[in-house]
Amino acid sequence: MIVSVAVVYNSWVLILRSSFPEIHKRHEITWMAMDYLCDIIYILDFFVSSRTGFMEDGIMQKDTQKMRRHYLRTSAFYLDAVSIVPLDILYFFIDHEPAVRMNRLIKYHRFWRFLDRTESRTSYPNVFRLASLMQFILVIIHWNACIYFIVSRKIGFGTDTWVYPGVTGNLTQLHESLTRKYIYSFYWSTLTLTTIGEVPPPHTNLEFIIVTLDYLIGEFEVKLIHCVYWI
């Protein structure tokens, strides 16, 4: 449960702080404290996983050495090891950029495992499944919104009707609010992925590629919802 919370934190916060540097800079000490708390949880999970029983020939194995050897031979161990590689050392060479910690997202397999086990044990599996699906969809919309804002900044705010509004390098007063930046991006992402409303048409090749991928992802989400509904 605690590991899953740490994974969800990283999946929401890392891309947010990379896309909107103001959020990271305003509370940098707090963010770093949260980051390294999650790292501690990741490291402790190594110990817990190496002492988790497993089935062998229909018998639950609880011998400490067998459990450790079994864990070291699983793909989960390698994923866990890569997810905790301290790429933060790059902070010595570049400004504190949360994107260097993206390898923490490799731990997401533990969150899927938590969902699978919880769903099989809860008294309300359909409600839990719906909540899990909503979290998954919101994460996709969130990431898409952040990527949209990054691309808009790269192209130049206000250079065309597709990107985030504002004058290049100097946002208008209406759109310079951090809250407005995120809400507008999330709104654009929701409309694009769900295709429930009209969005400004793309102009550049990069914009066309992003919109096309968004439509494909949105179609995948619809199929996923149908699958979950009928299961």
Side-chain angles (χ1 to χ4, degrees):
M1 175 65 178
I2 297 178
V3 177
S4 297
V5 172
V7 172
V8 171
Y9 163 83
N10 284 320
S11 65
W12 278 86
V13 172
L14 292 181
I15 185 65
L16 179 67
R17 288 156 54 195
S18 295
S19 306
F20 303 90
E22 306 98 310
I23 296 179
H24 179 70
K25 293 179 180 178
R26 287 181 185 178
H27 308 284
E28 186 171 356
I29 300 300
T30 302
W31 289 125
M32 292 186 67
M34 293 293 294
D35 287 346
Y36 294 126
L37 175 61
C38 289
D39 287 352
I40 293 174
I41 294 174
Y42 276 28
I43 293 172
L44 291 176
D45 185 55
F46 275 101
F47 177 78
V48 174
S49 298
S50 66
R51 290 178 174 270
T52 300
F54 65 97
M55 298 297 295
E56 185 179 56
D57 297 329
I59 301 175
M60 176 62 72
Q61 300 295 327
K62 297 183 178 180
D63 180 75
T64 303
Q65 293 185 355
K66 282 188 175 181
M67 290 188 294
R68 183 170 59 251
R69 286 197 298 267
H70 176 264
Y71 173 59
L72 293 177
R73 290 196 297 265
T74 62
S75 59
F77 166 74
Y78 295 102
L79 293 175
D80 292 343
V82 174
S83 70
I84 203 62
V85 173
L87 297 180
D88 308 56
I89 195 172
L90 294 176
Y91 286 162
F92 290 107
F93 306 100
I94 60 176
D95 193 16
H96 284 191
E97 171 54 57
V100 303
R101 294 176 52 83
M102 287 297 182
N103 62 314
R104 302 300 190 272
L105 301 180
I106 298 175
K107 193 81 169 179
Y108 213 85
H109 72 96
R110 288 301 305 272
F111 180 62
W112 289 118
R113 182 181 178 186
F114 164 76
L115 294 180
D116 183 61
R117 290 190 172 186
T118 304
E119 181 182 336
S120 62
R121 297 176 182 178
T122 182
S123 302
Y124 306 96
N126 291 332
V127 175
F128 182 80
R129 187 182 303 167
L130 179 61
S132 302
L133 177 63
M134 288 302 300
Q135 198 278 150
F136 176 71
I137 292 175
L138 288 175
V139 166
I140 292 179
I141 295 176
H142 170 74
W143 269 73
N144 192 54
C146 293
I147 292 173
Y148 164 76
F149 191 81
I150 292 175
V151 173
S152 294
R153 184 171 58 233
K154 184 70 174 178
I155 296 175
F157 297 129
T159 53
D160 58 48
T161 57
W162 185 87
V163 298
Y164 183 78
V167 180
T168 306
N170 182 25
L171 297 182
T172 61
Q173 185 176 2
L174 178 64
H175 297 96
E176 65 183 2
S177 166
L178 177 60
T179 303
R180 181 61 177 266
K181 291 177 183 178
Y182 179 76
I183 291 178
Y184 182 95
S185 299
F186 197 90
Y187 168 78
W188 180 93
S189 177
T190 303
L191 290 183
T192 306
L193 292 176
T194 59
T195 65
I196 60 175
E198 294 185 4
V199 295
H203 297 275
T204 67
N205 291 337
L206 177 59
E207 293 172 1
F208 274 106
I209 291 174
I210 291 176
V211 173
T212 301
L213 290 176
D214 281 354
Y215 284 151
L216 292 175
I217 294 173
E219 187 65 23
F220 167 75
E221 285 184 339
V222 172
K223 299 296 184 183
L224 179 63
I225 292 173
H226 281 252
C227 290
V228 172
Y229 180 79
W230 288 107
I231 289 178

